[in-house]
Amino acid sequence: MSSLSTNNVTSSSQHFLHYFTEQEEKKLFKTVKQTYGIYAKRDYYWMLLMRETAVRLGVLAGPDSNKAERHNLPTLGLTVGDAQTSLEEGYLVYQHTNAKLQKKHPIALNKSAALAIKELLKIHHEMSVGIEWDSPRLERPLFLSRNRQAMSRRSFQARFAQWCRLAEVPEGTPHWLRHSWAKRFLERTTSPDALRRVQAVLGHSNLSTTSIYTTPDRESMVSAMQEASTCFR
């Protein structure tokens, strides 16, 4: 097998493994929702927003430091102004510099995503009490950390890993929510152009990239092993 083929196989294996089953997803969100405190509430709603819009972490947290330095980009993620405008327009509003390859695509807000944004605005207001801001309200970061600064990408990732451990589900990354959205949609839809819809929502340039979500997943592999067994028939 050529190195190119090996890389493709490795990439495919990683993608179809890096998602949450429906039960794992429910357990994760239930764990966060049932935990008391404003930080748990903040995490629940940013996770819900990512799950319901299938966006990459960069949209919420801004580009990573290497990308920002390489392209001279601001590191600010979603702002209060972006959130308010998103609710008004019914589509997620974000800076094009925060998208992969700096290419934006429209992301419609369903009811859950809109609810998440409304709650995140309330949480931001509550966490902002006592802060002496040196920037206009609409330009302030929507997601605040314990020190009342903008949450960093590392903070998003660390919080997510912590919730995964607490919920006793596979320790994934926020990006797994994007994969989980695609898996759930393809499992439930009857649309003949389902893959094209996933491609549009995820903003993939090529359909071949999207087709990774049609490869066998963990559940189907378990089912195949059980069906192939002859010992206990």
Side-chain angles (χ1 to χ4, degrees):
M1 182 180 291
S2 69
S3 59
L4 178 60
S5 298
T6 301
N7 289 337
N8 286 341
V9 170
T10 302
S11 176
S12 298
S13 299
Q14 290 176 344
H15 276 83
F16 82 75
L17 289 175
H18 291 180
Y19 70 98
F20 296 110
T21 66
E22 188 167 354
Q23 290 304 312
E24 290 168 348
E25 192 175 29
K26 287 179 178 179
K27 190 176 181 182
L28 174 61
F29 277 90
K30 182 179 180 180
T31 298
V32 185
K33 190 173 186 178
Q34 291 183 341
T35 303
Y36 177 79
I38 193 167
Y39 300 111
K41 190 175 181 181
R42 174 204 62 188
D43 292 348
Y44 176 82
Y45 284 110
W46 71 250
M47 288 166 58
L48 182 63
L49 180 60
M50 286 195 70
R51 170 59 178 80
E52 295 298 284
T53 58
V55 294
R56 292 181 171 87
L57 181 57
V59 170
L60 271 60
D64 63 63
S65 56
N66 290 333
K67 178 181 176 181
E69 184 177 353
R70 188 166 59 250
H71 298 287
N72 192 28
L73 302 175
T75 56
L76 185 64
L78 213 64
T79 66
V80 171
D82 292 334
Q84 289 191 181
T85 305
S86 296
L87 291 176
E88 294 167 2
E89 297 189 2
Y91 283 83
L92 188 64
V93 173
Y94 58 97
Q95 300 301 313
H96 77 279
T97 53
N98 292 345
K100 188 175 182 179
L101 303 179
Q102 301 184 49
K103 294 181 179 180
K104 290 179 65 174
H105 65 283
I107 302 172
L109 298 179
N110 59 22
K111 290 183 179 180
S112 294
L115 171 65
I117 292 176
K118 290 177 183 177
E119 292 299 325
L120 287 165
L121 283 168
K122 293 178 184 177
I123 293 167
H124 176 276
H125 177 73
E126 184 176 346
M127 294 182 68
S128 294
V129 174
I131 299 178
E132 295 184 4
W133 291 98
D134 56 4
S135 59
R137 178 176 176 275
L138 298 183
E139 297 177 9
R140 298 168 190 168
L142 179 63
F143 309 101
L144 299 178
S145 63
R146 290 180 181 273
N147 61 6
R148 300 305 194 263
Q149 301 293 319
M151 281 184 71
S152 65
R153 291 174 64 94
R154 182 171 295 181
S155 181
F156 277 99
Q157 293 164 341
R159 294 289 293 181
F160 192 81
Q162 179 181 331
W163 287 120
C164 288
R165 291 192 294 270
L166 191 61
E168 298 181 335
V169 299
E171 190 173 324
T173 68
H175 200 74
W176 281 33
L177 296 174
R178 177 177 168 89
H179 294 323
S180 298
W181 180 93
K183 296 293 290 185
R184 292 298 93 72
F185 178 78
L186 290 173
E187 287 168 359
R188 298 170 181 174
T189 188
T190 57
S191 172
D193 63 343
L195 208 56
R196 288 289 184 186
R197 294 190 182 193
V198 173
Q199 178 188 16
V201 170
L202 300 187
H204 290 162
S205 299
N206 300 311
L207 191 62
S208 58
T209 303
T210 313
S211 65
I212 197 67
Y213 297 107
T214 64
T215 58
D217 54 28
R218 283 182 278 150
E219 300 96 307
S220 63
M221 296 297 284
V222 170
S223 177
M225 296 305 292
Q226 291 175 340
E227 290 177 10
S229 175
T230 59
C231 295
F232 300 101
R233 288 184 179 278

